[in-house]
Amino acid sequence: MTLAMAGGVSVAAQATAVASSGSATVRAAADTCAYPYVCFFKNGVKIGQFKDVTSTWQNLPSKPSGPGLVVQNTRNDDVAYIRWSGGATTCIPPKSSFTVSSGTLTGVRISSAATC
């Protein structure tokens, strides 16, 4: 899979998400997600990875949902956007992770923008 993300932060009303930077789950994800990928982990198992910068959304075929879902952006200068089933988006800055505690993701986009 190849994923692309971009955009600002907008959390869907039906979904609860928690930004993460120091949890064991995030560290484990970072250990198995190599640069320049944006990886998706469900309960610590990698379920997808994307690396292409695109101007459009890439659909997530598995429609992953929380809890136990972590999105890891290993890129140095590119943000990654995730799209929720309700259409809202969340931006994940470079070199960071995002933990989805509830809600379903439907798309990803990597943008060459360095900041959300």
Side-chain angles (χ1 to χ4, degrees), residues 28-48:
D31 291 343
T32 59
C33 185
Y35 171 85
Y37 288 95
V38 174
C39 299
F40 289 76
F41 295 87
K42 180 69 176 183
N43 298 320
V45 176
K46 188 183 336 178
I47 59 171

Side-chain angles (χ1 to χ4, degrees), residues 21-64:
S21 61
S23 73
T25 302
V26 171
R27 283 192 298 275
D31 291 343
T32 59
C33 185
Y35 171 85
Y37 288 95
V38 174
C39 299
F40 289 76
F41 295 87
K42 180 69 176 183
N43 298 320
V45 176
K46 188 183 336 178
I47 59 171
Q49 66 181 21
F50 303 84
K51 72 174 186 175
D52 294 341
V53 172
T54 65
S55 60
T56 60
W57 288 96
Q58 294 186 56
N59 291 324
L60 300 177
S62 66
K63 307 275 189 289

